[in-house]
């Protein structure tokens, strides 16, 4: 139920210690992961973020993911990106 209905077979969960946030580490990490995923011929990626996680939403926006819709789990947004 909920978010798991929307997930296929790969899950990557990111968390960064609060003291390390705000230095571009997560944006650089996500960009590198997306580039690697693209090189593996994976065509799209979904991100699920709690609606009140403004820091994560800002990071995703900084790497070009601005379009979000409500996920099946109403406490979360779903953001997607096409890679290929």
């Amino acid at each position: 139920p909920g978010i798991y209905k929307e997930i296929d077979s790969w899950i990557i969960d990111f968390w960064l210690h609060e003291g390390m946030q705000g230095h571009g580490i997560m944006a650089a990490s996500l960009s590198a992961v997306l580039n690697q995923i693209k090189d593996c011929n994976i065509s799209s990626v979904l991100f699920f973020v709690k609606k009140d996680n403004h820091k994560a939403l800002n990071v995703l926006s900084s790497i070009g993911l601005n379009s979000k819709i409500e996920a099946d789990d109403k406490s979360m947004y779903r953001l997607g990106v096409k890679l290929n």
Side-chain angles (χ1 to χ4, degrees):
I3 189 173
Y4 298 104
K5 290 190 301 187
E6 300 177 73
I7 295 176
D8 192 4
S9 59
W10 295 88
I11 298 173
I12 301 172
D13 190 13
F14 280 95
W15 179 86
L16 185 64
H17 187 277
E18 188 173 345
M20 298 303 296
Q21 295 175 5
H23 302 286
I25 296 168
M26 191 57 70
S29 298
L30 287 173
S31 292
V33 167
L34 287 175
N35 284 333
Q36 185 66 38
I37 290 171
K38 183 178 181 178
D39 290 345
C40 293
N41 294 317
I42 295 172
S43 62
S44 63
V45 175
L46 293 177
F47 292 84
F48 292 88
V49 181
K50 291 276 188 186
K51 288 180 177 180
D52 62 354
N53 191 342
H54 302 288
K55 288 181 179 180
L57 291 167
N58 287 340
V59 168
L60 293 173
S61 177
S62 77
I63 63 168
L65 287 122
N66 297 307
S67 178
K68 60 186 181 246
I69 62 171
E70 190 173 79
D72 286 348
D73 176 342
K74 303 296 185 208
S75 70
M76 303 188 89
Y77 287 123
R78 183 180 79 197
L79 299 90
V81 60
K82 297 275 187 196
L83 300 173
N84 295 320

